[in-house]
Amino acid sequence: MKSEDIKKVLHSQPFRPFVINLAEGRALPVKHQEFVALAPSGRHMIVYGKGSDYHVVDPIMVTSLA
């Protein structure tokens, strides 16, 4: 998925929680836009989960946003 598509969902007003579905089968819930950090290059993003959990994701591996 293109990083521009992810940015659109992250910055939609009002913000709606969504799930990032990955090609490997994982699903990463995003409860607030501050829980995702997209690199300026758009080639990587960090998705923060519960507590101190986080996942480094390549946006090309995102199959859908639900």
Side-chain angles (χ1 to χ4, degrees):
M1 179 167 283
K2 293 181 182 179
S3 60
E4 293 82 20
D5 297 329
I6 297 168
K7 285 180 186 179
K8 286 179 187 177
V9 174
L10 278 175
H11 300 296
S12 66
Q13 292 297 323
F15 177 80
R16 293 184 188 119
F18 63 97
V19 175
I20 299 172
N21 294 304
L22 302 175
E24 63 192 41
R26 284 190 297 163
L28 305 174
V30 178
K31 295 183 181 186
H32 193 276
Q33 63 197 67
E34 293 178 356
F35 291 3
V36 176
L38 191 59
S41 67
R43 297 197 63 191
H44 295 90
M45 66 179 170
I46 299 174
V47 180
Y48 294 93
K50 292 182 180 181
S52 60
D53 289 346
Y54 67 91
H55 307 275
V56 179
V57 176
D58 182 343
I60 203 161
M61 298 306 293
V62 175
T63 57
S64 67
L65 303 173

